[in-house]
Amino acid sequence: MELMGESSILVLGGALQRRVHGLAGAFLKSPELKARVTADMRCRLAAAMGSWRATAGTAVRVQDEAKSIVFEILVRALIGLEQGQEMNYLRQQFHIFIAGLISLPIKLPGTQLYRSLKAKKRMTSLIQKIIQEKRKRRRMILGGEDLCLASRDLIDVLMSGNGGDELSLTDELISDNMIDFMIPAEDSVPVLITLAIKYLSECPLALQQLEEENMELKRQKSDVGETLDWTDYMSLTFTQHVITETLRIGNIISGIMRKAVRDVEVKGQEGVVIPKGWCVLVYFRSVHLDASVYNDPYAFNPWRWKERGDAATGSGFTPFGGGQRLCPGLDMARLQASIFLHHLVTNFRWVADGDDVVNFPTVRLKRGMPIRVTPKT
């Protein structure tokens, strides 16, 4: 809580939380941003995969590669920062910051929490400098220009959505939430990509079907001389089933904390009440791996989603949370994973060295999921 700050969307409640969540959700789901992220992702993957070709046969650590690519793309979408010295500085400070999210709550020099709080101050200083520069530019172009057209990143969107009322979005609130929105670039999307590749490596039949689906789309677009847009990647049905199954069995976010604002009676448990004021850990893993909800729950089976259909949005499937706090970036996470998988399976074959999933304090691959790639001819 102290690391996130009082202005964090994870801490906010009521109308202010709804405003920030609504503005961020609309931006992250916008076709314009998806098109830009798709182009950025293709560009970054082309550079990365070019180096993989040059060193074919050596181990590529998928987790590290995915983190590097996703972080830069997401930061550009959030605060408009391009590759360079400031991006490298922000990444360095962010790694120190995120290490303290699950640590002993001891704030003394030399402790992880102390280092993380210092790193957050440095990140906040950089982001607030960007905000102030944006405000200065906005004052210069205020005369008659439609400010919605100037919304190139999430900072622009939050500044445009500032109504000047009691729900004012301060610079502190904006900078705190920019840091919060960077967390998926480190802990969520790259781990989703890495786990998908691990599970596909262990399930040749699923890998074959995913490869055939993606190669067919690539051939269709090549025949008419078109490049893939974001809707093409999201139209890959089996690829989406693979991502959904990875989210279910991987449980990248194992649970979320909530506080009861009133007495809550537990459905199906007559007489069981969660008292007002109690904190609750909603444990997703217990549902996603429940044999009464999923047949053979510990098996990686993307074909189950062909039969379940809309069940991927029900109460039995909650990797992105739910309700008014549903993760606003869920579509973006799926899109980035789809693009990464498409370009990997259409350009390379690989052999996985083998790796283990570590679930505490966060989900990750112990060795970063090393694979040895061979370019397709």
Side-chain angles (χ1 to χ4, degrees):
M1 293 280 283
E2 187 171 3
L3 268 173
M4 290 296 186
E6 294 179 359
S7 302
S8 166
I9 193 173
L10 301 176
V11 179
L12 290 176
L16 189 54
Q17 184 271 336
R18 289 193 293 273
R19 172 175 284 186
V20 175
H21 189 279
L23 290 169
F27 174 69
L28 292 170
K29 293 174 184 174
S30 66
E32 295 79 14
L33 180 65
K34 289 176 180 176
R36 182 148 52 96
V37 165
T38 298
D40 288 349
M41 194 93 176
R42 274 203 303 261
C43 182
R44 290 288 285 110
L45 279 169
M49 290 182 175
S51 68
W52 300 358
R53 285 191 180 89
T55 57
T58 59
V60 172
R61 296 190 183 278
V62 176
Q63 192 166 261
D64 295 341
E65 294 282 344
K67 284 185 179 183
S68 176
I69 292 169
V70 172
F71 185 83
E72 289 188 4
I73 291 171
L74 187 56
V75 166
R76 184 177 182 226
L78 294 174
I79 64 176
L81 199 62
E82 302 289 348
Q83 284 181 286
Q85 189 174 353
E86 286 188 326
M87 176 71 81
N88 294 334
Y89 175 77
L90 183 66
R91 189 204 309 271
Q92 180 190 47
Q93 297 305 313
F94 184 78
H95 286 160
I96 300 171
F97 160 76
I98 200 169
L101 289 180
I102 302 178
S103 63
L104 291 174
I106 302 171
K107 192 169 56 176
L108 294 173
T111 64
Q112 183 59 64
L113 179 57
Y114 184 87
R115 289 194 297 270
S116 296
L117 286 166
K118 291 292 185 183
K120 181 173 182 183
K121 283 185 179 179
R122 291 189 283 267
M123 286 193 295
T124 299
S125 177
L126 172 61
I127 295 169
Q128 289 194 355
K129 185 183 79 170
I130 293 171
I131 294 171
Q132 289 159 11
E133 289 171 354
K134 285 178 175 289
R135 290 198 187 281
K136 184 178 178 180
R137 285 199 302 271
R138 289 166 72 84
R139 284 193 293 269
M140 293 173 63
I141 65 172
L142 196 57
E145 181 170 342
D146 183 354
L147 292 181
C148 291
L149 297 177
S151 296
R152 295 173 294 113
D153 52 53
L154 188 52
I155 288 180
D156 290 328
V157 170
L158 294 181
M159 289 195 303
S160 298
N162 201 343
D165 51 20
E166 69 277 5
L167 300 180
S168 180
L169 306 185
T170 63
D171 288 0
E172 181 186 12
L173 183 146
I174 294 173
S175 61
D176 272 354
N177 282 286
M178 292 307 99
I179 295 170
D180 293 349
F181 281 121
M182 291 177 194
I183 293 173
E186 176 73 17
D187 260 4
S188 303
V189 180
V191 176
L192 168 60
I193 292 168
T194 308
L195 285 174
I197 292 169
K198 173 180 171 58
Y199 298 144
L200 287 168
S201 301
E202 296 169 352
C203 184
L205 192 59
L207 176 58
Q208 180 185 349
Q209 186 168 338
L210 182 132
E211 183 179 349
E212 289 172 354
E213 179 182 66
N214 281 269
M215 289 300 294
E216 177 60 27
L217 176 62
K218 186 175 182 179
R219 278 192 294 269
Q220 289 174 2
K221 288 293 181 176
S222 296
D223 289 346
V224 293
E226 295 179 357
T227 57
L228 276 67
D229 61 28
W230 70 269
T231 58
D232 294 319
Y233 293 107
M234 296 298 282
S235 71
L236 294 162
T237 304
F238 187 72
T239 302
Q240 293 307 314
H241 291 341
V242 166
I243 292 170
T244 301
E245 182 69 350
T246 301
L247 288 165
R248 181 195 69 82
I249 199 170
N251 290 289
I252 299 160
I253 306 298
S254 60
I256 53 174
M257 296 296 294
R258 290 291 182 264
K259 187 175 182 179
V261 296
R262 56 178 174 79
D263 289 352
V264 178
E265 185 172 340
V266 180
K267 288 183 180 179
Q269 302 290 327
E270 188 175 350
V272 178
V273 175
I274 300 171
K276 178 182 177 180
W278 276 33
C279 287
V280 179
L281 172 64
V282 183
Y283 193 54
F284 298 152
R285 188 182 298 270
S286 65
V287 178
H288 293 160
L289 300 177
D290 187 341
S292 67
V293 180
Y294 297 98
N295 292 328
D296 198 5
Y298 288 90
F300 177 72
N301 177 14
W303 295 276
R304 76 171 81 237
W305 297 101
K306 182 179 180 181
E307 302 166 2
R308 294 180 72 92
D310 292 340
T313 58
S315 59
F317 182 74
T318 55
F320 297 104
Q324 67 181 28
R325 292 185 181 270
L326 179 69
C327 175
L330 74 166
D331 288 346
M332 191 61 65
R334 284 184 173 275
L335 175 61
Q336 290 180 305
S338 300
I339 296 170
F340 196 107
L341 290 174
H342 172 83
H343 289 275
L344 178 63
V345 301
T346 57
N347 287 283
F348 295 96
R349 293 184 177 84
W350 75 85
V351 176
D353 283 1
D355 205 349
D356 298 316
V357 178
V358 177
N359 289 299
F360 184 83
T362 58
V363 176
R364 65 195 186 281
L365 275 295
K366 190 173 183 178
R367 298 171 54 217
M369 192 57 201
I371 60 174
R372 299 183 185 277
V373 298
T374 304
K376 288 185 174 179
T377 55

